[in-house]
Amino acid sequence: MEKSGADIGEKYAGLSGFAPSLDLANEAHSLLRGKENKEIGGVSEQIEKYRHAKVVTITIKDEQGAKIMGKPVGRYITIEAPDIRFDKTLEAEISAILAERLRQLLPPLSNEAILLIGLGNDHATPDSLGPSVVDYTIATRHIKTYSPEIMENDLAPICVLAPGVLGITGIETAEIIKGVVAHVKPKCIIAVDSLAAASINRVSTSIQIADTGINPGSGVGNKRVPINEKTMGIPVFAIGVPTVVHTSVIIYEALSALAEFWEQSGQAVPQIEEKAVDFINGKMLSSFNGSMVVTPKEIDQLIQNIARIIAAGIAQAVHPRVNKNNYHLYIQ
């Protein structure tokens, strides 16, 4: 069963130091509030419920909130839809919610291009979300430029790019994108990337939209040059989906389950501390420098399902003519 924000806050109450490293803002927020559900200065939360989804909006209002959360000032909108992992018929509903929320963040669009960036490595399945979204997206900028007479007026000029990763290209992703921005001069950037989560239940079922840009690879401790308005010179909107969890999270969940067993058996239950999790994690994973991430065995299909939903949501958000009834005609 999907954990609510309060459940996660209580569950990981002993690991508050882990919060700033979480990619999902709503997870970090719940974790920092703890089981007491205490307020965080400079941060607000809004929750809206739909038939098959819940939308959690975390707004970091000032530098105090940014420091506590470990994230830049801005809005972080998370669509939680646990059923999409098993029910493909929800694609239209969830993509429409994504489109609505993304549209709220995007600047007014006219004939200026939108640059869609698919971050990640298409040779590594858990990191291939961004390139997969690019594969589903139909580029229209070239038609608008070279054959405007056949371009429908209600379609926006969108161009796409999957720049690869530093280990393959030898070039910082931010450098590639900045070069493209200088020549294409888009109105804004929409960047899609894989994230890390604090629960395996969130893998491919939570979609985060942010107006603060993105730090590629941060979820797996592989920080690169940020892609945001400061580095690119134009607004950057990020869409991310958890595709992995850290082993430390799994270890903590296993210890919590053991503690629950002890409690039900009437035995004394020791407190599970962060340093204990770090010790076990480091000892078990010494061959991997104490760090590893885990992904489900069916991740290839999960990536394709969620990538299609994101591509459909982007199409509906940027093209005035596209909606939940005809989006399938505008994705590949």
Side-chain angles (χ1 to χ4, degrees), residues 20 54 63 68 86 89 91 96-97 115 125 141 149 162 164 177 179 183 197 228 241 273 299 313 326:
K54 180 172 73 171
E63 292 304 322
I68 296 172
F86 312 104
T89 65
E91 179 180 280
I97 295 173
L115 177 58
T125 304
R141 175 179 174 270
E149 69 279 0
I177 298 172
H183 286 82
N228 53 34
V241 176
E273 299 180 350
I299 189 62
N326 65 5

Side-chain angles (χ1 to χ4, degrees), residues 215-249:
N215 291 311
S218 61
V220 293
N222 210 9
K223 295 185 178 181
R224 304 256 64 91
V225 176
I227 300 167
N228 53 34
E229 187 167 6
K230 182 178 180 180
T231 59
M232 297 295 121
I234 57 174
V236 179
F237 304 93
I239 301 176
V241 176
T243 60
V244 298
V245 293
H246 291 272
T247 49
S248 56
V249 170

Side-chain angles (χ1 to χ4, degrees), residues 15-323:
L15 297 181
S16 59
F18 189 58
S21 67
L22 292 177
D23 282 338
L24 290 177
N26 65 327
E27 286 189 337
H29 182 252
S30 297
L31 184 56
L32 288 166
R33 294 186 73 169
K35 60 183 179 182
E36 295 87 7
N37 208 24
K38 60 185 177 181
E39 294 295 330
I40 299 174
V43 182
S44 66
E45 178 186 54
Q46 180 181 0
I47 300 176
E48 298 173 69
K49 294 186 178 181
Y50 293 79
R51 184 179 178 186
H52 294 103
K54 180 172 73 171
V55 177
V56 181
T57 301
I58 302 295
T59 303
I60 302 178
K61 304 175 182 179
D62 53 34
E63 292 304 322
Q64 176 192 1
K67 184 177 181 180
I68 296 172
M69 290 283 291
K71 299 182 183 300
V73 172
R75 282 180 289 177
Y76 301 81
I77 303 170
T78 303
I79 302 169
E80 302 177 5
D83 292 338
I84 59 175
R85 184 184 295 152
F86 312 104
D87 190 349
K88 291 185 179 181
T89 65
L90 299 179
E91 179 180 280
E93 178 184 346
I94 304 305
S95 66
I97 295 173
L98 171 61
E100 175 191 1
R101 299 299 169 162
L102 180 58
R103 206 179 293 119
Q104 292 173 357
L105 299 181
L106 291 173
L109 303 174
S110 54
N111 288 323
E112 296 167 285
I114 302 158
L115 177 58
L116 171 63
I117 300 293
L119 299 170
N121 182 358
D122 59 1
H123 297 294
T125 304
D127 196 30
S128 66
L129 176 66
S132 296
V133 172
V134 164
D135 288 342
Y136 277 118
T137 302
I138 298 177
T140 54
R141 175 179 174 270
H142 60 302
I143 303 175
K144 196 89 170 179
T145 302
Y146 299 109
S147 302
E149 69 279 0
I150 66 172
M151 183 75 171
E152 298 173 348
N153 291 330
D154 288 339
L155 292 181
I158 183 169
C159 46
V160 302
L161 175 68
V165 293
L166 177 65
I168 293 177
T169 65
I171 309 171
E172 280 283 1
T173 303
E175 293 176 336
I176 297 174
I177 298 172
K178 196 167 185 177
V180 172
V181 167
H183 286 82
V184 174
K185 296 179 171 56
K187 177 78 170 182
C188 63
I189 294 172
I190 300 174
V192 182
D193 199 10
S194 301
L195 306 178
S199 171
I200 197 68
N201 291 324
R202 290 187 181 274
V203 171
S204 80
T205 65
S206 294
I207 306 171
Q208 178 174 270
I209 315 166
D211 60 4
T212 59
I214 198 164
N215 291 311
S218 61
V220 293
N222 210 9
K223 295 185 178 181
R224 304 256 64 91
V225 176
I227 300 167
N228 53 34
E229 187 167 6
K230 182 178 180 180
T231 59
M232 297 295 121
I234 57 174
V236 179
F237 304 93
I239 301 176
V241 176
T243 60
V244 298
V245 293
H246 291 272
T247 49
S248 56
V249 170
I250 296 175
I251 290 171
Y252 187 82
E253 289 184 343
L255 291 175
S256 297
L258 179 59
E260 183 180 351
F261 172 77
W262 283 338
E263 186 176 15
Q264 292 176 355
S265 302
Q267 302 180 50
V269 180
Q271 182 179 359
I272 302 173
E273 299 180 350
E274 187 171 359
K275 60 183 180 181
V277 176
D278 289 341
F279 175 80
I280 296 171
N281 196 59
K283 192 173 183 65
M284 291 180 61
L285 302 175
S286 58
S287 299
F288 298 93
N289 296 319
S291 177
M292 185 181 288
V293 293
V294 179
T295 195
K297 63 179 181 180
E298 65 271 24
I299 189 62
D300 52 347
Q301 187 59 55
L302 295 176
I303 288 287
Q304 293 306 310
N305 293 346
I306 200 69
R308 184 177 166 89
I309 288 174
I310 293 173
I314 292 173
Q316 293 173 69
V318 303
H319 299 308
R321 179 174 294 183
V322 182
N323 55 56

